[in-house]
Amino acid sequence: MTQSVQAHPSGGYILEELQVGMTAEKAVPVDEARIQQFAEASDDFNPLHVDEAFASKTAYRGRIAHGLLSASFGSAVVGMILPGAGSIFLSQNTAFHKPVRIGDVVIARVTVASIDLESARVVLRCEGLVGDDVVLDGEATVRVPRRRRPARD
């Protein structure tokens, strides 16, 4: 059973608060500025992403977003919503199915698939959607805090 959640009031869920089926999502618009910022941050200036004249002559018939840009939107969900603050990626696999273009809005969706209480590891099912199309999917394993840090005075 899927249970949609919002960010925890503390900033993050601790391990004992998680349940299989919890899901969270975030809508992220892909615009020119975001593509340029990602190119600069990653040092990936592949003309397929940044040069319309080049990209228009490819099988994609125009520029597409970096695949890892689209995949990174799941990081915002994991780090800010589910599980949230304090969680850390241990591994991730991602399959890319369709290109993301400037003007698309990617819905990054994360669902708790399994929980290992002993190791404090959680497997998350990750998806990126544009409209009804799954543009990427995969799984991430994250470590989740067992308790919250007390507030500092």
Side-chain angles (χ1 to χ4, degrees), residues 4-142:
S4 183
V5 299
Q6 301 298 313
H8 193 279
S10 73
Y13 291 87
I14 59 173
L15 186 65
E16 293 76 15
E17 293 171 330
L18 296 176
Q19 297 175 6
V20 171
M22 290 173 83
T23 187
E25 60 184 41
K26 178 178 179 66
V28 183
V30 177
D31 58 16
E32 179 65 38
R34 196 175 294 270
I35 297 227
Q36 188 61 36
Q37 289 167 343
F38 189 83
E40 290 172 12
S42 65
D43 210 22
D44 178 355
F45 293 92
N46 180 335
L48 189 56
H49 308 307
V50 298
D51 182 340
E52 184 61 40
F54 174 90
S56 68
K57 297 174 185 163
T58 69
Y60 296 103
R61 303 281 186 246
R63 292 171 56 204
I64 61 172
H66 302 74
L68 289 180
L69 170 62
S70 300
S72 75
F73 302 152
S75 181
V77 179
V78 171
M80 303 302 294
I81 304 172
L82 182 67
S87 60
I88 187 165
F89 276 88
L90 299 175
S91 67
Q92 181 171 1
N93 67 58
T94 305
F96 299 95
H97 304 292
K98 294 187 175 190
V100 173
R101 300 185 181 280
I102 295 171
D104 285 346
V105 175
V106 176
I107 304 297
R109 181 179 300 147
V110 171
T111 303
V112 176
S114 68
I115 302 167
D116 183 336
L117 292 173
E118 188 173 318
S119 68
R121 293 179 181 204
V122 176
V123 175
L124 304 169
R125 172 102 178 110
C126 304
E127 296 175 295
L129 299 102
V130 173
D132 293 330
D133 293 329
V134 176
V135 295
L136 63 91
D137 62 8
E139 284 187 346
T141 301
V142 299

